[in-house]
Amino acid sequence: MSSVTIAHATDHGHPIGWRRWLYSTNHKDIGTMYLIFALIMLFLGGGSAMVIRAELFMPGIQLVEPDLYNNLVTNHALIMIFGAVMPAAAGLANWMIPLMIGAPDMALPRMNNLSFWILPAAATMLLLSFVVPFFPGGGSQINTGWTIYPPLSVQVGMSMDFLIFAIHLLGMSSVLASINIIVTLFNMRAPGMSLMQMPIFCWTWLVTAFLLILVVPVLAGAVTMLLFDRHFGTSFFNAAGGGDPVLFQHLFWFFGHPEVYILLLPSIGVLAQVIPAFSRKPLFGRPSMIGAMIAVASIGMVVWAHHQYTVGMSLAAVTYFMIGTILISIPVGLMIFNFIATMWRGAMTFETPMLFAVAIVLMFTFGGLSGVMLAVIPADMQYHDSMFVVAHFHYVLLPGALFGLYAGVFYWLPKWTGNMYDEKMGKIFFWTNVIGFNITFFPQHFLGLAGMPRRIVDYNVMFTEFNVISSVGAFVFGLSHLILLYIVIKTMKGGEQASNRPWEGARGLEWQLSSPPEFHSWNEPPKELELEDR
């Protein structure tokens, strides 16, 4: 490249234009790319969900053939989990962790670039797995659901190979990002900041990163064995050759259950920033919060088979998994209690991030209670593979993961863009989103209890009314995200300039530190805070 070309491509040694993004080792740029990627995937995954709900609006087959319906169900889950929630959480981590611990950047900036750019390649593979069957000779569609259980996944055509490749790439991206986060948090904290003085958001990411490194290789091993069964004549999971399909279920859920906490914990970290800020109080029970997160991650690693009560395990095994699962509710309940105690008698104001935080505490608790119902073996025998399970995990994952990310985006958007977002539009988004969500998923509890199976394209006419309500809610919920897109684009383009501490003077209330902020032991009470009402 000539010196003239280099001069045009750089600005004082920094790449500009497309090179700035392609070659970026800046944690803020990479965080922004993660968030934009996640937003695109959110609309793709949400679009597939709206097609599913449109099909289920009335009994009978209206819009899509059964195979295509099953393919949509599979892709909706994979896109939302691996394409939307995990990259969005990684975007928050990239943006905020160096700023919170006083580091100049992430510890391994080039690896940071690589871990992002693997994602578009993985997403391409994931989308190809969806479209390949539509071409001549493309084989059958993926009709397995996101769990890709054999023997179905051994029989599916070429699209399953694309999906296995996509899972490998997504896993590589996650593990690289996790290594980067762990090294950054251990090695690049500001002088004087101990591990126990790190913000809770950083702690949630430390636990999440360790979880990812422990469980993603297990999923990679499972899908590699599946690939060998498909193409190299092995019989790991093929019962006809002496294999065991249930082995795949154990390997998958050893990844799949900790994955739930991988999705939840970053949003818990966001709540630990948002709730104290809008309650004007320090977080209640900070050391217990850290302990609870470690306990949730540890117990979550050893209760995977509560997803498999119906496969014929021994009584001793299912009893162990039942008790372990119920025990998880103790540290989770402790975290919820800490958030409520933080809000208690605080000088609360209800800007959009705080509205989402309060909604999360309420709805995630409800999802946790239905989880305790599912943990009990005799009850789960009835609920298993019904719409009740769909309602339960959406009440856990949407408030617990997605709404937490929304709270983080609204909380930090002024910091990222330098502009305040439109608060009125933020509140409109919140209410349409939360009301649409509850109209969508609350009726599904009743459908499941009445016996409607999940992942089925057609259903008995007795389930019509609740499905109509659910589908109407889904359209409201899905379309509300256009408001989010509008708010983000409008804030990026300009608007009222944000101050250095944008939430300090919310609603005329201001906290003033009586002395300059400094690191202090969390075993001692924090510096006295004074409330001044203007």
Side-chain angles (χ1 to χ4, degrees), residues 413-421 495-502:
L413 202 56
K415 207 73 174 165
W416 295 341
T417 62
N419 305 315
M420 284 302 292
Y421 66 87
E496 179 194 343
Q497 194 165 357
S499 66
N500 284 340
R501 302 176 72 176

Side-chain angles (χ1 to χ4, degrees), residues 14 96 156 164 258 359 372 444 499 514:
H14 298 292
M96 301 313 301
V156 173
I164 289 169
V372 173
Q444 293 179 12
S499 66
S514 55

Side-chain angles (χ1 to χ4, degrees), residues 185 189 193-200 202-203 206 286:
L185 291 173
R189 298 189 306 278
M193 179 185 272
S194 71
L195 275 174
M196 288 303 288
Q197 289 171 330
M198 282 197 313
I200 292 285
C202 299
W203 262 104
L206 188 61
R286 193 176 183 284

